[in-house]
Amino acid sequence: MPPHLVSRRTLAILAWITCFTVYSLWVGLPTKRGNVLIWVSLAVFAFGVDHPRSTIRSFVTTWLPLFLALGTYDLLRGVSDGQESDAHTWPHLNLDLWLGGGRTPSELLQRWLWTPGTPHWWDYLAWAVYQSHFFTGLLVAVVLWSHGHRRAAPYIVGIAALSWAALATYWLYPAQPPWMTARDGLTGPVTRIVHEMWSHVGLEKAARVFSTERAGSSRYANPVAALPSLHAAFPMFIAVMLWSRRRRLNLALAAYALAMGTVLVYAGEHFTFDILLGWIYAVTVALITRHLAERRPQVLTALFHRPDPAPSDEAADGGGASGAEAAPVAALAANHVPMR
């Protein structure tokens, strides 16, 4: 049997995939930030099992700061709600009404595709695409980091920067999503399809994590943090950061971004304007971080310090994630490391 099929790293990754799959089938996809960060942490150690000491050091200097930034983002987003009375409907509602000829795209899509109480296969697919937002972005970061990809540093910095740029906008300009404008009688009826689908997939209690409609509901989600759509921004950010000469990869990345945008409108979570603004934020942050990595690598070196692995770790690993840590950000930016 080839050695790579029985390596500790391979076994650890397979164990992580198995546990994650069992957990998702038994409990549901992890969506609450704390659960997501636990699974991402386990993925980091699975990919870095062959060089534990350098992985631990990298986890402390790289991943914990990222987790802290995202956790603080969630906390501040939660305490910034309660602004529904001040939430805006211009210009996103106006643009969507214009696009739909007097009805929003959410209304039109649900009229054509949604059957209350009887979900179709595309509704389950829409639910899965929506949930993928909560862990896909971080898992991509783990894969880039473990392979020593030249865009790992700008990608990880960009994830945090994109989240905080969106948070600043939420604070300055709280905005109503389609389901809220419909609730307030500004448009026709719009169903929160993702929330409805939780009961159909057998995890009705999980919907409370994101519920903002009842007294005592979860504060994990901010109902007026709609502009821009971070759900739409993350797939576009991934696409721009990983865009390459590989046509199939590019098509998959573009399809994911378009699918997420369509699902958000169909599910009544975001207006088309929110999606477009999220894409603008994502492209801007991605281009800035890529520029810093390629033209000003010392900037990311200061923001993204990765300690050199111990000699024993480096010798034992022979590449992989310790190679990513051994290479300075300047070298990663100057030399193209192809995706594996």
Side-chain angles (χ1 to χ4, degrees):
M1 181 176 293
H4 70 277
L5 294 181
V6 293
S7 67
R8 288 188 303 171
R9 187 169 186 260
T10 299
L11 292 176
I13 294 173
L14 289 176
W16 183 91
I17 293 175
T18 300
C19 293
F20 182 81
T21 302
V22 172
Y23 178 92
S24 300
L25 293 175
W26 187 262
V27 180
L29 291 172
T31 52
K32 194 170 183 179
R33 181 75 73 183
N35 295 339
V36 171
L37 296 186
I38 289 174
W39 281 105
V40 171
S41 300
L42 293 174
V44 168
F45 285 103
F47 276 95
V49 70
D50 286 337
H51 42 91
R53 285 183 292 177
S54 57
T55 297
I56 291 174
R57 289 197 301 272
S58 185
F59 184 80
V60 172
T61 59
T62 298
W63 295 101
L64 284 184
L66 175 63
F67 293 170
L68 179 62
L70 296 178
T72 305
Y73 158 83
D74 280 333
L75 177 63
L76 293 178
R77 184 181 65 170
V79 300
S80 68
D81 61 10
Q83 307 178 69
E84 292 189 26
S85 59
D86 301 322
H88 301 275
T89 59
W90 184 90
H92 44 296
L93 174 58
N94 304 70
L95 175 65
D96 275 44
L97 288 174
W98 176 78
L99 288 174
R103 294 190 179 276
T104 65
S106 295
E107 294 177 73
L108 296 176
L109 286 175
Q110 291 193 9
R111 175 184 294 182
W112 298 332
L113 301 174
W114 173 246
T115 304
T118 309
H120 305 280
W121 64 266
W122 55 80
D123 297 312
Y124 290 95
L125 179 61
W127 175 86
V129 170
Y130 182 90
Q131 305 307 328
S132 70
H133 160 81
F134 298 102
F135 52 86
T136 299
L138 289 175
L139 288 182
V140 170
V142 174
V143 174
L144 292 177
W145 166 82
S146 68
H147 284 71
H149 197 278
R150 67 189 179 95
R151 291 176 187 163
Y155 181 94
I156 292 175
V157 171
I159 285 288
L162 182 57
S163 299
W164 279 79
L167 177 65
T169 309
Y170 304 153
W171 277 68
L172 294 173
Y173 202 82
Q176 290 191 10
W179 64 265
M180 188 177 291
T181 58
R183 183 200 65 185
D184 293 345
L186 300 179
T187 68
V190 173
T191 301
R192 299 191 75 178
I193 291 177
V194 171
H195 285 231
E196 294 290 328
M197 289 303 299
W198 278 108
S199 60
H200 293 287
V201 297
L203 296 167
E204 187 173 6
K205 292 182 179 179
R208 298 175 186 173
V209 173
F210 305 100
S211 176
T212 56
E213 301 173 356
R214 300 185 301 273
S217 58
S218 171
R219 296 294 80 175
Y220 180 72
N222 181 351
V224 293
L227 190 64
S229 168
L230 203 56
H231 257 80
F234 269 30
M236 181 59 70
F237 176 78
I238 295 172
V240 176
M241 292 301 297
L242 301 188
W243 202 264
S244 67
R245 296 179 180 178
R246 298 186 177 185
R247 181 176 299 179
R248 291 183 180 179
L249 174 63
N250 295 340
L251 288 175
L253 294 171
Y256 180 49
L258 291 174
M260 181 65 78
T262 302
V263 165
L264 294 172
V265 175
Y266 170 57
E269 296 294 334
H270 285 283
F271 289 104
T272 305
F273 185 89
D274 308 346
I275 310 300
L276 296 176
L277 188 61
W279 287 350
I280 292 173
Y281 273 51
V283 172
T284 301
V285 171
L287 293 180
I288 289 175
T289 53
R290 288 183 59 170
H291 174 80
L292 289 176
E294 295 170 2
R295 303 293 178 87
R296 299 289 188 272
Q298 67 277 9
V299 176
L300 282 184
T301 302
L303 293 174
F304 187 89
H305 173 65
R306 290 188 283 188
D308 292 336
S312 59
D313 289 331
E314 185 176 359
D317 182 54
S322 67
E325 292 179 4
V329 175
L332 292 177
N335 299 288
H336 176 70
V337 181
M339 283 292 290
R340 302 177 186 175

